[in-house]
């Protein structure tokens, strides 16, 4: 095998997502509390033959058939960015093993981008420091800087001005995926339409969320969960309301749409309660798959070196 590096990067749920009115550059100002979970992507990048260009050699795992294998894949674009920055030819192959739902509001594509940035930097000499990688990450997408960092963090701006938050212990989560994804841009456009005639507050972090994380108190966090993109996601996919309600009835401490959706996230008191919630929501026809996991999880990090 040619020299290659495998990097693992986590998916996420926003335990708070406070969204302000759209800015002149088309993005929305956020106060986002990102929480990385142990549903992970594993991306391997290897040195290709000179002149081979970028090849996505294999995608395996969760919903692999739906992952693009061209330049629209964030891992591909990450290879281009790092090669450009380091002045090396972008001759590389990529393998992706997926554990995060595709187009689900859990930043699976962002995790691939973050993992590929770290892998390429290692493969080609490691001269980019974390701030340089974070700048490239933001070029790939608003959620990619958090995929690099991991853990639990407050994100301001587009989500890239990150400050780690203290968390005691871990939280137990269930994620329920839908059979068709939602476009993040379409959810934000629907947000704009819904708030057109309303006052919109400046996005701000909720002290109750920060306190619940710090105390390791799942009941308090369950009560404080809030996502301003939930209303537009439900407007586009009304059947998600029944999924959220089913999880609550099955004992979830809190339920919300993950990011821009359509994946639904349920916070449970412990692993046994999470298994019960998953068993109930798995029976709904609008649910494609359920995943029991925990957070916080670490950010993008090297897990294997080959060749
Ligand atoms: O940054 P990213 O490419 O992931 O964003 C996808 C789309 O989501 C953007 O083109 C924009 O329409 C919307 N978005 C937004 N405000 C943000 C983040 C994303 O309007 N803070």
């Amino acid at each position: 095998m040619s020299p290659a590096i495998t990097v693992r990067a986590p998916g996420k749920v926003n335990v708070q997502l406070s969204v302000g009115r759209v800015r002149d550059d088309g993005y929305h100002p956020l106060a986002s509390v990102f929480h990385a979970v142990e549903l992970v992507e594993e991306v391997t990048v290897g040195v290709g033959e000179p002149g081979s260009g970028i090849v996505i050699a294999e995608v395996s795992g969760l919903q692999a058939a739906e992952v693009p294998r061209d330049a629209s894949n964030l891992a591909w674009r990450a290879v281009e960015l790092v090669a450009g920055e380091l002045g090396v030819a972008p001759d590389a192959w990529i393998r992706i093993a997926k554990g995060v739902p595709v187009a689900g509001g859990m930043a699976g594509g962002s995790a691939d981008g973050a993992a590929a940035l770290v892998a390429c930097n290692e493969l080609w000499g490691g001269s980019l420091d974390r701030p340089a990688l974070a700048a490239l990450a933001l070029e790939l997408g608003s959620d990619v800087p958090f995929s690099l960092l991991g853990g639990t963090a407050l994100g301001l701006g587009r989500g890239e001005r990150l400050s780690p938050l203290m968390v005691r212990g871990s939280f137990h989560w269930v994620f329920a995926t839908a059979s068709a994804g939602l476009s993040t841009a379409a959810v934000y456009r629907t947000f704009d339409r819904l708030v057109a005639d309303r006052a919109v507050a400046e996005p701000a972090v909720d002290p109750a969320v920060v306190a619940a994380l710090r105390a390791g108190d799942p009941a308090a966090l369950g009560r404080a969960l809030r996502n301003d993109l939930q209303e537009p996601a439900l407007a586009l996919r009304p059947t998600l309301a029944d999924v959220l309600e089913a999880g609550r009835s099955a004992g979830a401490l809190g339920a919300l749409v993950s990011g821009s959706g359509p994946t639904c996230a349920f916070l449970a008191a412990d692993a046994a309660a999470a298994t019960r919630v998953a068993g109930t929501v798995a029976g709904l026809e609008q649910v494609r798959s359920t995943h029991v996991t925990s957070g916080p999880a670490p950010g993008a990090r090297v897990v294997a070196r080959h060749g």
Side-chain angles (χ1 to χ4, degrees):
M1 193 173 179
S2 57
I5 306 277
T6 301
V7 175
R8 187 175 295 163
K12 61 83 187 165
V13 57
N14 307 77
V15 293
Q16 187 200 339
L17 186 51
S18 168
V19 180
R21 208 178 276 291
V22 66
R23 309 190 306 209
D24 290 343
D25 66 359
Y27 287 94
H28 293 71
L30 306 177
S32 166
V33 178
F34 293 104
H35 179 71
V37 295
E38 296 285 358
L39 297 182
V40 299
E41 302 278 293
E42 264 190 24
V43 177
T44 304
V45 182
V47 174
E49 296 292 322
S52 65
I54 300 169
V55 177
I56 299 191
E58 188 187 350
V59 185
S60 61
L62 188 66
Q63 301 167 12
E66 288 149 54
V67 174
R69 296 180 181 223
D70 56 18
S72 68
N73 188 303
L74 289 184
W76 177 304
R77 288 178 44 212
V79 174
E80 283 180 333
L81 278 182
V82 176
E85 200 68 18
L86 297 178
V88 303
D91 295 322
W93 54 263
I94 303 169
R95 288 209 180 103
I96 302 173
K98 295 201 56 66
V100 182
V102 177
M106 293 190 67
S110 300
D112 294 340
L117 286 175
V118 171
C120 290
N121 188 40
E122 288 281 316
L123 205 57
W124 292 324
S127 61
L128 299 176
D129 59 13
R130 280 275 156 171
L133 287 173
L136 295 181
L138 186 60
E139 284 189 47
L140 292 176
S142 305
D143 288 342
V144 185
F146 175 72
S147 304
L148 276 181
L149 180 68
T152 304
L154 170 63
L156 301 174
R158 278 166 60 193
E160 82 285 9
R161 282 167 34 216
L162 290 163
S163 332
L165 292 172
M166 290 274 294
V167 174
R168 179 189 290 258
S170 59
F171 291 92
H172 297 272
W173 293 94
V174 178
F175 293 93
T177 68
S179 29
L182 276 176
S183 148
T184 301
V187 174
Y188 274 106
R189 279 196 303 273
T190 304
F191 172 87
D192 294 339
R193 188 167 54 72
L194 288 169
V195 302
D197 301 323
R198 297 183 200 162
V200 180
E202 286 297 310
V205 64
D206 178 357
V209 170
V210 176
L213 290 165
R214 187 187 291 255
D217 182 341
L221 184 60
R223 283 192 298 275
L225 294 172
R226 199 189 106 189
N227 176 5
D228 286 350
L229 294 183
Q230 180 160 310
E231 187 190 358
L234 290 180
L236 292 170
R237 194 69 63 75
T239 54
L240 293 178
D242 300 332
V243 181
L244 295 173
E245 194 43 49
R248 287 190 194 103
S249 309
L253 299 171
L256 84 176
V257 167
S258 179
S260 56
T263 302
C264 292
F266 304 93
L267 182 60
D270 52 33
T275 303
R276 283 195 297 278
V277 170
T280 298
V281 298
L284 301 175
E285 65 173 339
Q286 60 270 53
V287 170
R288 180 182 191 177
S289 60
T290 57
H291 307 269
V292 174
T293 187
S294 65
R301 67 201 162 109
V302 174
V303 292
R305 293 185 163 79
H306 320 269

